[in-house]
């Protein structure tokens, strides 16, 4: 693979090259990982700083419908939009449906949009392990907005906040009350809460839910990265495309304020540090599946199961092989 040629094609917004590059960074093969690292290093600092928007919500809340309506609105205004959708992988077979392009029928045909579904595999937190690197590739390819749609599992799905500039939480009408709204976890990570399906018979319920969460947000501790009035709750209807423009205006207001006050650059620096530590952790975990450590784990597993050795003592033995102290 000619990395320099690959780099040039991505910078020229070659969609096929971008798709191949994302496949490369998602591969777990050692030779592919080496090539992916070389490509990412070659693209470092190139392209533009896209607006990264993380989007989470419970299954069935209408994330795909919202992304299609929202994405079509953005492309109609002249923006190029990339969608990185993470699909849950089966705990039994390991497979994923990857049906997001089917759900986003109109956006997938838009020449100013790029949709890439990826399996979550065994990675927790709502995103795939290499989603962050896929975001970097989309930035290099010149996309103005990168939407990161998470699996949608619940309160612990906060990793996406570590790779996005803006975190949206999509909720359904009657999805909770003020007490639910003040729970720690994903609620305190959200920048804007959008109560979807505010149409038809559910409109009144959606308005009430929005008021509940707006009240709950006022009880949360003030964050330094928020101007007055944020985070906030709003109602939208992805089906009727109602409230989308207002939501985009609020997002733009928040991002412009963060850019002007230095919070944008500060947050990106913190995220880079976070992912450095994550890569170190994942690298150490990978070493447990290789060489002496793998053999030691296999040998000690049976002894732990039969009670001949405690789990802590067995773990210490494995870590000593890696020259790592458990203390």
């Amino acid at each position: 693979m000619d990395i320099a040629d690959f780099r040039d094609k991505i910078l020229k917004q070659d969609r096929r090259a971008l798709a191949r590059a994302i496949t490369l960074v998602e591969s777990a093969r050692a030779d592919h990982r080496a090539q992916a690292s070389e490509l990412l290093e070659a693209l470092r600092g190139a392209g533009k700083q896209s607006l990264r928007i993380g989007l989470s919500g419970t299954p069935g809340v209408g994330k795909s419908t919202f992304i299609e309506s929202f994405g079509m609105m953005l492309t109609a205004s002249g923006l190029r939009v990339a969608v990185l959708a993470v699909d849950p992988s089966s705990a039994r077979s390991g497979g994923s449906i990857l049906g997001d392009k089917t759900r986003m029928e109109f956006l997938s045909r838009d020449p100013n949009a790029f949709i890439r579904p990826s399996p979550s595999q065994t990675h927790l937190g709502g995103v795939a392990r290499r989603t962050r690197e896929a975001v970097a590739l989309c930035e290099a390819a010149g996309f103005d907005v990168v939407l990161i749609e998470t699996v949608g599992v619940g309160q612990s799905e906060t990793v996406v906040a570590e790779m996005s500039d803006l975190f949206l939480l999509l909720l359904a009408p009657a999805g909770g009350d003020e007490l639910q709204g003040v729970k720690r976890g994903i609620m305190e990570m959200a920048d804007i809460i959008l109560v979807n399906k505010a149409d038809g018979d559910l409109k009144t319920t959606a308005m009430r839910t929005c008021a509940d969460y707006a009240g709950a947000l006022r009880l949360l501790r003030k964050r330094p990265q928020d101007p007055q009035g944020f985070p906030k709750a709003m109602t939208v209807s992805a089906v009727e495309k109602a409230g989308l423009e207002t939501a985009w205006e609020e997002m733009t207001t928040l991002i412009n304020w963060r850019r002007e006050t230095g919070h944008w650059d500060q947050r990106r620096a913190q995220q880079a540090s976070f992912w450095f530590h994550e890569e170190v952790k994942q690298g150490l975990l990978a070493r447990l599946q290789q060489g002496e450590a793998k053999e030691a784990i296999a040998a000690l597993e049976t002894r732990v199961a039969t009670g001949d050795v405690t789990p802590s003592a067995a773990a210490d033995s494995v870590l000593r092989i890696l020259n790592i102290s458990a203390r």
Side-chain angles (χ1 to χ4, degrees):
M1 180 182 293
D2 187 339
I3 296 297
D5 181 57
F6 214 0
R7 172 187 182 275
D8 292 340
K9 286 182 178 179
I10 291 173
L11 292 177
K12 290 177 183 176
Q13 303 178 358
D14 186 320
R15 298 164 67 91
R16 180 169 293 183
L18 174 59
R20 289 181 59 204
I22 294 177
T23 300
L24 179 68
V25 301
E26 289 180 343
S27 174
R29 278 178 43 174
D31 57 334
H32 287 174
R33 289 305 310 151
Q35 290 175 336
S37 296
E38 186 180 351
L39 176 61
L40 289 166
E41 185 62 27
L43 288 169
R44 181 168 54 86
K48 64 166 67 178
Q49 274 198 337
S50 308
L51 172 57
R52 307 170 181 173
I53 301 178
L55 178 70
S56 186
T58 54
V61 75
K63 294 191 296 294
S64 296
T65 306
F66 172 81
I67 288 176
E68 179 168 52
S69 297
F70 186 61
M72 293 293 290
M73 183 194 73
L74 295 180
T75 57
S77 66
L79 298 176
R80 299 181 69 238
V81 178
V83 178
L84 301 176
V86 182
D87 251 19
S89 296
S90 169
R92 295 181 178 179
S93 66
S96 297
I97 296 177
L98 303 180
D100 296 274
K101 293 183 82 169
T102 303
R103 284 177 167 174
M104 304 176 198
E105 179 183 358
F106 297 104
L107 187 62
S108 63
R109 296 201 298 262
D110 193 312
N112 287 324
F114 173 83
I115 302 175
R116 172 65 182 232
S118 298
S120 64
Q121 298 176 326
T122 57
H123 194 69
L124 301 178
V127 293
R129 183 183 172 189
R130 299 299 172 186
T131 299
R132 176 187 57 86
E133 295 176 356
V135 170
L137 292 171
C138 290
E139 284 193 316
F143 284 94
D144 300 294
V145 179
V146 180
L147 290 165
I148 310 162
E149 180 195 359
T150 68
V151 169
V153 292
Q155 294 275 15
S156 63
E157 193 178 285
T158 56
V159 176
V160 69
E162 297 295 342
M163 63 178 71
S164 56
D165 305 307
L166 192 69
F167 185 29
L168 305 180
L169 179 60
L170 216 60
L171 298 177
D177 53 18
E178 283 194 48
L179 180 59
Q180 185 71 27
V182 297
K183 284 187 176 179
R184 297 304 185 254
I186 199 169
M187 288 299 307
E188 60 185 346
M189 305 296 290
D191 295 308
I192 298 178
I193 293 176
L194 299 175
V195 181
N196 193 25
K197 304 184 180 181
D199 50 60
D201 295 338
L202 289 174
K203 187 169 184 177
T204 303
T205 307
M207 296 291 288
R208 186 165 56 250
T209 301
C210 180
D212 283 341
Y213 278 95
L217 289 175
R218 287 193 288 270
L219 299 176
L220 295 179
R221 182 178 299 174
K222 178 72 175 174
R223 305 181 306 183
Q225 71 268 31
D226 294 328
Q228 189 64 35
F230 286 90
K232 61 176 54 181
M234 308 173 63
T235 58
V236 294
S237 170
V239 173
E240 295 184 352
K241 300 177 177 57
L244 299 183
E245 291 187 2
T246 304
W248 175 239
E249 289 173 2
E250 295 291 353
M251 294 177 210
T252 305
T253 298
L254 178 56
I255 287 300
N256 288 341
W257 185 87
R258 287 180 175 175
R259 285 182 185 273
E260 293 166 1
T261 55
H263 287 289
W264 170 286
D265 294 329
Q266 180 183 355
R267 182 59 181 149
R268 288 218 168 182
Q270 290 172 347
Q271 289 175 346
S273 177
F274 173 86
W275 288 108
F276 162 67
H277 286 282
E278 282 299 305
E279 285 298 323
V280 172
K281 292 176 187 176
Q282 293 297 329
L284 290 173
L285 288 174
R287 287 181 60 186
L288 292 175
Q289 304 301 318
Q290 303 168 2
E292 288 184 67
K294 183 177 182 180
E295 294 173 1
I297 289 174
L300 287 165
E301 197 168 17
T302 303
R303 296 184 60 198
V304 170
T306 57
D308 293 339
V309 62
T310 64
S312 298
D316 285 343
S317 299
V318 174
L319 292 176
R320 278 196 294 271
I321 295 173
L322 297 177
N323 294 320
I324 299 173
S325 174
R327 300 286 178 257

